[in-house]
Amino acid sequence: MAEALSRDLSKMAARMLLRHCRGLVLSPSYASSRYSSRTAGSATNSFKVKVVQFFNQHFHDLEDILAYSSIARNWKVKVKNRSYNKTRERYGKEVAAATFVLNLNGRVRCRGQRRWIHGRLKELDICLEGIDVSGSIINFDGLENLASLKFLRYLDLSRCPSIDDWCLSRLGTLAGSLEELSLAGCHQVTEKGLACLCHLQNLKRLDVSDLPRVPYKGLVCILLEEMLPQCEIVGMDMTAWDEVDQDLDTETHQDVEAHTASRSWRPT
């Protein structure tokens, strides 16, 4: 009987304490100002101060964790995109570029071979012909590791969140060999960055699908066709005029339609 009465009293005390502290939990800033350490004369006030301090410390630590997490991500991006100068000096530019790509969980293909290399590089006498770093954290600094490759024909930068217009301006060093380039899903790329590709005159295939920051895709497609006449543009339709501003005058529409008709017929 006594044990049952004791349990009932404990439950009642717990409910009373919960009601008493409910406003404190829901509004810790108000309670903190009301129940400071100088005015906490009773045990109840002291308990409330401790509860407020706990919540304030908890949320403060949460903000610190988020801040440290952001710093860690930025540090990781910086480290992953560092220049492999020591590797280049010791083993050559091809090995340095391959090591950089493989450390980004990408893959490389050597000249004259069809298979792709993943994971670790087992040979040092290589000549890179293809690089796939799709979906990686490669950025402007990381592209420096690829700048001196003279036989690179295929480069996949699709879905790389850090690839932007400034990065595309750095691809001019690959103009002598690059034949296939994929920028699909690079959401930071705009039409200004695509204009930088005019130096890549050896391109045969360019994938520019899923670029949300590129307006007037029909006009941009025509621009790319004019800059790179030997290149197949994938992902943009020259005849898609739904996004074209209605303010374009009739003469401009006629000129564009005539150009489209002339480009649509090609001799076999």
Side-chain angles (χ1 to χ4, degrees):
M1 182 67 178
E3 294 179 358
L5 180 59
S6 177
R7 287 196 299 268
D8 293 339
L9 291 175
S10 299
K11 293 180 181 179
M12 292 175 61
R15 286 197 294 268
M16 292 175 62
L17 182 61
L18 178 61
R19 287 198 300 269
H20 193 63
C21 296
R22 183 173 299 170
L24 173 67
V25 174
L26 295 178
S27 183
S29 60
Y30 170 77
S32 178
S33 62
R34 183 176 178 181
Y35 299 102
S36 63
S37 59
R38 291 175 295 182
T39 61
S42 63
T44 303
N45 289 346
S46 178
F47 172 75
K48 292 179 179 179
V49 170
K50 292 181 180 179
V51 172
V52 171
Q53 290 176 351
F54 170 79
F55 277 97
N56 286 340
Q57 185 65 34
H58 174 75
F59 287 111
H60 178 70
D61 292 343
L62 180 60
E63 292 177 356
D64 286 345
I65 290 174
L66 294 176
Y68 293 148
S69 177
S70 178
I71 294 173
R73 286 195 301 269
N74 294 334
W75 177 82
K76 179 181 178 181
V77 171
K78 184 176 181 179
V79 170
K80 287 287 188 177
N81 285 278
R82 70 185 186 276
S83 296
Y84 283 63
N85 294 326
K86 293 184 178 180
T87 305
R88 185 184 296 108
E89 293 173 358
R90 186 172 182 178
Y91 300 106
K93 58 186 179 182
E94 302 286 341
V95 174
T99 303
F100 165 69
V101 171
L102 296 178
N103 284 341
L104 289 178
N105 295 324
R107 58 179 186 165
V108 297
R109 188 180 68 204
C110 296
R111 192 178 183 184
Q113 299 183 5
R114 300 184 61 180
R115 69 180 183 89
W116 290 86
I117 301 175
H118 304 264
R120 299 182 60 184
L121 188 65
K122 298 180 180 179
E123 300 178 6
L124 299 180
D125 186 14
I126 60 174
C127 180
L128 297 183
E129 184 180 64
I131 288 179
D132 180 0
V133 286
S134 57
S136 71
I137 56 176
I138 188 173
N139 61 12
F140 180 83
D141 295 330
L143 287 174
E144 175 65 23
N145 295 294
L146 313 181
S148 57
L149 300 178
K150 300 300 182 182
F151 300 98
L152 187 64
R153 298 175 53 195
Y154 176 87
L155 178 59
D156 189 348
L157 298 175
S158 61
R159 306 185 313 280
C160 292
S162 298
I163 294 297
D164 54 12
D165 296 342
W166 190 242
C167 294
L168 298 190
S169 67
R170 201 160 201 172
L171 298 182
T173 57
L174 304 175
S177 61
L178 197 61
E179 296 181 359
E180 295 186 40
L181 174 63
S182 177
L183 301 174
C186 294
H187 292 181
Q188 300 298 324
V189 171
T190 71
E191 70 280 4
K192 296 179 181 179
L194 295 179
C196 298
L197 303 180
C198 61
H199 303 291
L200 306 180
Q201 292 298 315
N202 289 326
L203 273 185
K204 297 180 180 179
R205 190 177 190 274
L206 174 62
D207 190 346
V208 287
S209 57
D210 189 20
L211 301 182
R213 296 189 62 185
V214 177
Y216 311 143
K217 291 180 172 55
L219 294 176
V220 173
C221 183
I222 290 178
L223 172 65
L224 293 174
E225 289 270 6
E226 291 294 335
M227 290 193 314
L228 307 169
Q230 305 300 324
C231 182
E232 176 189 3
I233 308 300
V234 178
M236 287 188 183
D237 187 2
M238 278 196 311
T239 60
W241 297 108
D242 294 339
E243 300 177 2
V244 177
D245 190 3
Q246 297 299 324
D247 293 337
L248 291 176
D249 55 25
T250 304
E251 183 178 355
T252 303
H253 277 295
Q254 292 176 351
D255 293 341
V256 171
E257 290 175 357
H259 176 83
T260 303
S262 64
R263 299 288 294 186
S264 62
W265 182 84
R266 294 184 181 181
T268 58

